[in-house]
């Protein structure tokens, strides 16, 4: 039986503990760098998965992030950022981690084999939903069982694994193989495999946001400004997009109730909040074409909007 790549011994591992720490540190950094390139080979699958995630959000479905162990931490980290970064409603995000999210300093290892609660946890999974599931080995019982449940329920499955030809990838609609080299510390997939997983997950959610119109010119135009830093960022984004003063941007944000896209349209010349909202509705929530319509004075058909 072939040993999975994630369990194989790295070619530089022999005598590792007898080398100077600076040399070990160099190897650690280089191994992480090598792992970071892994998502480049799966760009088509990542893009296709991101489009499915965007469609799930548009249709009112739910993104289910599911994994165990270190992969679970990577998945949870991405899911937890979606609200603040892109204003994805909490009602459309679920996090399933084998054994639950850790509340202390230890993460039990036996939970990745525990599948008994999955039928209950995924009982409301529907064809509108997307399951994003991650496993370095690609054979973790928790993730494979979840993928089988999702397939039975007609949900879209995005599977991320670091070993090829595995059950998780075979069960997935969008299989993302992250072919990372063996870990410098054999089997410690929180290292290279985890790095590649985090990059792939970040790519999926960011590309989803691009599809939804929540990013423009490298700026988070649908952020939730719920602290001073983010309120200042929102103000700066409105200024950057519309070339108004910070005072004018602040006034527009207040009039828009903090909605950055609507604030940008008000700052650019939309006459009312209702008009700004109607413009975004017509452009499928994409700000750039809405701003172009104002620039080209194409809002006349919305003049009666109160």
């Amino acid at each position: 039986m072939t040993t999975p790549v994630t369990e194989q011994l790295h070619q530089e591992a022999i005598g590792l503990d007898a080398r100077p720490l600076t040399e070990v540190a160099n190897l650690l950094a280089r191994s992480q760098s090598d792992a970071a390139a892994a998502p480049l080979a799966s760009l088509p699958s990542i893009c296709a998965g991101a489009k499915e995630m965007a469609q799930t959000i548009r249709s009112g479905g739910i993104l289910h992030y599911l994994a165990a162990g270190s992969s679970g931490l990577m998945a949870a980290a991405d899911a937890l950022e979606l609200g603040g970064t892109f204003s994805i409603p909490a009602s459309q995000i679920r996090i399933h981690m084998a054994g639950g999210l850790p509340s202390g300093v230890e993460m039990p290892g036996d939970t990745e084999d525990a599948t008994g609660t999955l039928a209950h946890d995924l009982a409301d999974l529907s064809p509108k939903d997307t399951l994003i599931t991650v496993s370095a080995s690609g054979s973790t019982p928790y993730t494979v069982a979840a993928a089988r449940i999702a397939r039975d329920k007609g949900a879209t499955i995005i599977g991320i694994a670091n070993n090829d030809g595995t059950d998780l990838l075979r069960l997935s609609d969008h299989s993302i193989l992250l072919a990372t080299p063996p870990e410098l510390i054999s089997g410690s997939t929180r290292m290279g495999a985890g790095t590649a997983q985090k990059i792939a997950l970040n790519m999926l959610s960011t590309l989803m946001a691009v599809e939804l119109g929540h990013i423009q010119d490298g700026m988070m135009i649908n952020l939730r400004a719920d602290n001073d830093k983010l309120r200042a960022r929102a103000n700066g984004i409105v200024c950057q997009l519309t070339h108004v003063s910070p005072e004018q941007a602040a006034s527009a944000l207040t009039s828009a109730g903090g909605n950055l896209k609507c604030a940008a349209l008000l700052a650019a010349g939309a006459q009312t909040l209702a008009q700004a909202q109607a413009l975004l509705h017509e452009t499928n929530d994409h700000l750039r074409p809405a701003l172009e319509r104002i620039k080209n004075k194409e809002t006349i058909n919305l003049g009666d909007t109160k």
Side-chain angles (χ1 to χ4, degrees):
M1 182 176 179
T2 304
T3 303
V5 175
T6 50
E7 297 295 328
Q8 292 175 12
L9 199 63
H10 193 283
Q11 61 182 1
E12 297 282 357
I14 304 302
L16 184 72
D17 53 295
R19 299 181 189 182
L21 279 183
T22 53
E23 188 175 331
V24 177
N26 183 277
L27 288 169
L28 285 168
R30 289 181 181 278
S31 67
Q32 291 283 293
S33 179
D34 291 342
L40 292 172
S42 292
L43 294 184
S45 295
I46 291 172
C47 290
K51 288 182 178 180
E52 291 283 3
M53 291 168 67
Q55 180 55 33
T56 289
I57 295 300
R58 286 195 197 99
S59 66
I62 297 171
L63 301 176
H64 293 260
Y65 282 76
L66 183 145
S70 298
S71 298
L73 295 178
M74 297 299 105
D78 196 68
L80 289 167
E81 294 279 1
L82 296 184
T85 308
F86 303 125
S87 294
I88 304 300
S91 60
Q92 290 187 270
I93 306 167
R94 298 281 190 280
I95 299 174
H96 309 276
M97 184 168 175
L101 287 167
S103 57
V105 297
E106 290 187 334
M107 188 163 56
D110 59 345
T111 54
E112 68 179 51
D113 298 329
T115 60
T117 65
L118 277 172
H120 175 269
D121 295 342
L122 299 176
D124 62 348
L125 201 64
S126 81
K128 292 195 302 183
D129 298 345
T130 294
L131 175 72
I132 305 108
T133 183
V134 192
S135 165
S137 68
S139 58
T140 304
Y142 183 76
T143 56
V144 172
R148 290 198 171 104
I149 291 171
R151 181 166 287 279
D152 289 342
K153 289 178 175 287
T156 298
I157 307 164
I158 300 173
I160 302 173
N162 298 84
N163 287 286
D164 198 6
T166 52
D167 287 344
L168 180 59
L169 295 181
R170 282 193 289 266
L171 287 164
S172 298
D173 299 295
H174 303 286
S175 302
I176 299 172
L177 171 63
L178 304 175
T180 49
E183 301 290 354
L184 194 59
I185 309 302
S186 180
S188 185
T189 53
R190 69 185 180 87
M191 300 171 69
T195 294
Q197 290 168 6
K198 186 175 193 316
I199 292 171
L201 287 161
N202 286 167
M203 290 172 70
L204 282 166
S205 56
T206 302
L207 291 167
M208 173 193 73
V210 171
E211 279 285 303
L212 292 171
H214 295 344
I215 295 174
Q216 183 168 320
D217 294 333
M219 292 179 284
M220 298 180 287
I221 59 170
N222 207 51
L223 64 81
R224 184 172 65 212
D226 54 6
N227 61 43
D228 289 343
K229 178 189 74 174
L230 294 179
R231 281 186 282 273
R233 181 180 297 167
N235 187 288
I237 291 173
V238 173
C239 291
Q240 178 74 21
L241 290 172
T242 63
H243 309 294
V244 298
S245 69
E247 292 76 21
Q248 290 171 308
S251 176
L253 282 162
T254 298
S255 297
N259 184 296
L260 197 155
K261 292 182 185 180
C262 286
L265 292 173
L266 289 170
Q271 296 181 3
T272 65
L273 177 58
Q275 188 182 80
Q277 292 168 333
L279 267 171
L280 286 172
H281 178 74
E282 290 197 357
T283 58
N284 200 24
D285 210 28
H286 282 65
L287 180 59
R288 188 185 296 278
L291 286 170
E292 284 296 317
R293 289 191 59 179
I294 289 178
K295 179 181 177 181
N296 297 327
K297 304 187 185 303
E298 294 179 22
T299 59
I300 187 168
N301 293 333
L302 300 171
D304 294 334
T305 305
K306 302 298 183 185

